[in-house]
């Protein structure tokens, strides 16, 4: 017996600073609306990916994607299983897929917006929202194209225990760089040193953090920045000549009403350094090259990862999302569907 | 009859903010010390160049050149005439030369640190401290290598009535860009529109400045920045996708105890934009290419320039230097030797 309704998380109001309890609301929609058309499939969502970029999606500002509208289903990437197909669809019922159908339990999605999961040795479905999803691709192109990291250079990574940061650290190591990881708290730092194998992990919550950076890193060649704010400003004073700063994110500032300004930018002149932003979607034509390398890293164990799963169904997503901004997650953050739902996926 | 002593301007104390009356002092040195050795020449300085970078030279901070020490002759580029030559020097008495012998009336300089002036049609000696000196080279490589300006793009130039800015505007026009010039006051703006021929000059002292930028420029492709501070921060909100910001200088901040921070840097991510600093000396191997183009621009009239000369001898340099930070000069700023000195140069 199928359920008559399914749940959606929609944007209820735009937060001024932190995400609030009324930022999102859960809506119930009738299943009868869901009928896949030409070259479409009905997908049951099994996992939602929660990402820092989501804070940007709900801001009413000029950006690389239009803001999510009030009342619209919240933008999100997910994993799912095909439960029904429309005429001409290349998918079969039971196929495991990934796509960006948003925060909802079911969705009708065009074939061209779905990726069928391949699962060679070492790869599991959740990797498609992480190492083989936007996190891995972001790490790969950010480090290669923007960072232009070379063997022997010093790479500093902030947000290093997050999904992108962890991958950057490991790609950096594989490229022959000396990797310094910034994370919050002793546990994350221990994990980065012992499991991920960075040269040194630096705890930004420590009172000696800035001195620690000076002592252990000295000056850096590439800074892969996921956090912005004070740490980015400090790193501007630690640049080697020709240093590159990869502006990937600024998670410390996403909730800020008035972002902390960078005072150290004149060091970019004296050190002939570059501060450059990028958006992974621009590299779509080169995804196959990156995915090949990332899949290989997973298969041979060179890329490790940690999953942080918040159970309870997609209605947990609004409560889990703020963890990304408070450092509450360790590893990639997911919200799975309620286990009691029909149509089992892996 | 030769004078027995000559003057030097030495660093007396490091200013905390603005250059103060006691920042420099004038010293008198005995001529008897000046004897050119092997492959050296004794040069009489005829013109000193005053440049915003000088504020950086007297700051005790890590930079691309070591700071001038207390008691040391202030670093400066100059024009001069050879008055005596040592054994094996390639120069002759009477040769016009340029070099960086600092703020002093006479100096013994190694041959390899002197450039003999060539003066084809359209080129005058003062150009060797301007269009054919570091200003022109800075404009050329900043716009070409860092800005990567293409025909049809929108170029915004701050400090546009200054020595580098004026040249950038004209190189931008020659490259087929739409050029918008930022300067302080109606006179400079009028000159930039009528003489230099920019698309639109924008007066940063006007109350409607930010609105004027939005109205006339909209969004920009290349921002050649000489001023830093609030104007740079605002321009971060006016970037087209893939925009390049050429960080050449930050003259509004050079005297600041605590520089104004940039809040808009997250736009670099959403617009995939680049903020990049550079130092012209790194391009030394490519100077001939640039000088060829700049000399051609002078000869055919494509590059115009304005000289602002503060008379009274090199002891005027400490008083003239702050004009660069208050917008007091219009065009390239020079201090000539006292006209009453012996050994006439042009």
């Amino acid at each position: 017996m199928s359920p008559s309704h399914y749940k959606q998380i929609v944007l209820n109001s735009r937060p001024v600073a932190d995400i609030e309890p009324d930022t999102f609301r859960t809506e119930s929609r009738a299943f009868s609306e869901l009928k896949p058309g030409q070259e479409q499939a009905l997908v049951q969502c099994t996992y939602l990916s929660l990402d820092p970029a989501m804070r940007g999606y709900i801001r009413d500002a000029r950006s690389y994607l239009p803001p999510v509208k009030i009342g619209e289903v919240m933008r999100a990437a997910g994993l799912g299983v095909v439960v029904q197909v429309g005429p001409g669809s290349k998918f079969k019922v039971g196929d495991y897929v990934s796509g960006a159908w948003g925060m909802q339990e079911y969705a009708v999605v065009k074939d061209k917006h779905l990726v069928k999961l391949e699962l060679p040795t070492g790869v599991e479905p959740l990797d498609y929202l992480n190492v083989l999803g936007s996190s891995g691709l972001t790490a790969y192109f950010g480090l290669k194209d923007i960072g232009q990291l070379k063997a022997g250079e010093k790479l500093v990574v902030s947000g290093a225990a997050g999904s992108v940061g962890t991958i950057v650290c490991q790609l950096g190591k594989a490229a022959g760089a000396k990797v310094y990881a910034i994370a919050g708290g002793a546990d994350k730092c221990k994990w980065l040193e012992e499991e991920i194998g960075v040269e040194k992990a630096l705890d930004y919550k420590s009172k000696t953090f800035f001195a620690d950076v000076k002592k252990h890193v000295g000056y850096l060649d590439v800074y892969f920045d996921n956090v912005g704010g004070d740490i980015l400003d400090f790193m501007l004073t630690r640049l080697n000549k020709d240093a590159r700063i990869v502006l990937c994110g600024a998670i410390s500032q996403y909730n800020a009403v008035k972002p902390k300004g960078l005072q150290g930018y004149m060091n970019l002149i004296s050190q002939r350094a570059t501060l450059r932003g990028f958006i992974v979607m621009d590299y779509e034509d080169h995804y196959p090259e990156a995915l090949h390398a990332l899949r290989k890293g997973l298969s041979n164990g060179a890329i490790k990862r940690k999953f942080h799963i918040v159970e309870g169904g997609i209605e947990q997503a609004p409560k889990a999302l703020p963890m990304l901004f408070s450092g509450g997650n360790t590893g990639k953050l997911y919200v799975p569907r309620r286990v009691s739902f029909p149509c089992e996926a892996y």
Side-chain angles (χ1 to χ4, degrees), chain A:
Chain A
M1 201 193 84
S2 286
S4 64
H5 285 72
Y6 67 100
K7 286 184 180 134
Q8 295 181 323
I9 309 293
V10 304
L11 182 61
N12 185 57
S13 67
R14 297 194 191 280
V16 176
D18 291 347
I19 291 170
E20 302 283 352
D22 70 346
T23 299
F24 300 99
R25 65 174 189 266
T26 304
E27 292 202 340
S28 185
R29 306 292 294 251
F31 251 103
S32 53
E33 299 164 15
L34 292 176
K35 293 274 174 283
Q38 197 79 22
E39 294 175 18
Q40 292 180 345
L42 172 59
V43 176
Q44 181 191 21
C45 178
T46 52
Y47 278 92
L48 281 178
S49 172
L50 298 187
D51 298 284
M54 288 172 166
R55 182 63 186 84
Y57 299 160
I58 59 176
R59 192 188 302 277
D60 191 16
R62 178 176 178 250
S63 192
Y64 60 99
L65 286 174
V68 175
K69 292 185 191 127
I70 300 290
E72 226 174 32
V73 172
M74 178 60 190
R75 184 179 293 145
L79 294 183
V81 60
V82 172
V83 293
Q84 197 182 330
V85 293
S89 172
K90 65 181 179 185
F91 291 96
K92 297 189 310 287
V93 171
D95 279 350
Y96 297 159
V97 291
S98 69
W101 50 75
M103 289 187 179
Q104 48 187 342
E105 290 176 325
Y106 288 84
V108 169
V109 190
K110 286 181 182 158
D111 278 16
K112 65 179 178 185
H113 294 143
L114 290 174
V115 172
K116 190 174 166 177
L117 309 192
E118 291 167 49
L119 299 168
T121 313
V123 175
E124 46 182 300
L126 287 182
D127 288 321
Y128 278 85
L129 297 182
N130 185 25
V131 178
L132 303 180
S134 65
S135 297
L137 293 164
T138 298
Y140 183 90
F141 291 108
L143 201 54
K144 193 176 169 187
D145 192 53
I146 313 295
Q148 300 182 18
L149 182 71
K150 291 181 279 289
E153 289 191 323
K154 284 189 192 172
L155 166 68
V156 176
V157 184
S158 63
S163 61
V164 172
T166 306
I167 305 168
V168 172
C169 287
Q170 297 175 92
L171 293 178
K173 264 182 64 184
K178 276 198 167 184
V179 181
Y180 300 85
I182 299 172
D187 287 352
K188 288 180 183 175
C189 287
K190 189 165 183 269
W191 178 70
L192 285 161
E193 285 185 355
E194 294 181 2
E195 294 297 316
I196 301 301
V198 299
E199 186 83 14
K200 181 76 191 166
L202 301 146
D203 180 0
Y204 74 83
K205 292 180 176 172
S206 160
K207 280 181 181 166
T208 60
F209 171 67
F210 295 121
D212 294 345
V213 172
K214 284 186 184 176
K215 179 181 167 190
H216 293 286
V217 181
Y219 293 101
L220 61 90
D221 301 294
V222 177
Y223 175 46
F224 196 108
D225 186 33
N226 291 303
V227 304
D230 286 334
I231 298 179
L232 171 57
D233 205 9
F234 178 70
M235 290 304 162
L236 287 171
T237 69
R238 308 308 301 167
L239 303 176
N240 272 329
K241 185 168 171 284
D242 298 317
R244 288 82 70 199
I245 300 178
V246 184
L247 266 193
C248 177
I251 197 167
S252 75
Q253 304 298 303
Y254 288 172
N255 294 332
V257 179
K258 210 170 165 66
K260 178 81 173 48
L262 300 181
Q263 294 188 327
Y265 64 91
M266 280 182 279
N267 290 289
L268 296 171
I269 304 179
S270 59
Q271 301 308 320
R272 305 81 154 153
T274 304
L275 181 65
R276 187 171 165 202
F278 73 108
I279 296 295
V280 69
M281 296 183 300
D282 295 343
Y283 293 90
E284 199 172 350
D285 291 349
H286 300 278
Y287 282 178
E289 159 206 330
L291 291 171
H292 177 80
L294 292 163
R295 211 177 273 122
K296 201 172 142 191
L298 285 173
S299 296
N300 66 21
I303 300 180
K304 295 170 190 164
R305 68 283 193 211
K306 207 174 205 169
F307 303 133
H308 188 128
I309 294 171
V310 177
E311 302 282 356
I314 72 161
E315 56 269 52
Q316 299 305 314
K319 277 176 251 173
L321 189 54
M323 294 171 70
L324 292 166
F325 305 99
S326 63
N329 62 307
T330 49
K332 171 74 190 175
L333 192 59
Y334 300 94
V335 172
R337 69 181 177 90
R338 261 182 210 287
V339 283
S340 59
F341 248 56
C343 269
E344 288 305 317
Y346 42 82

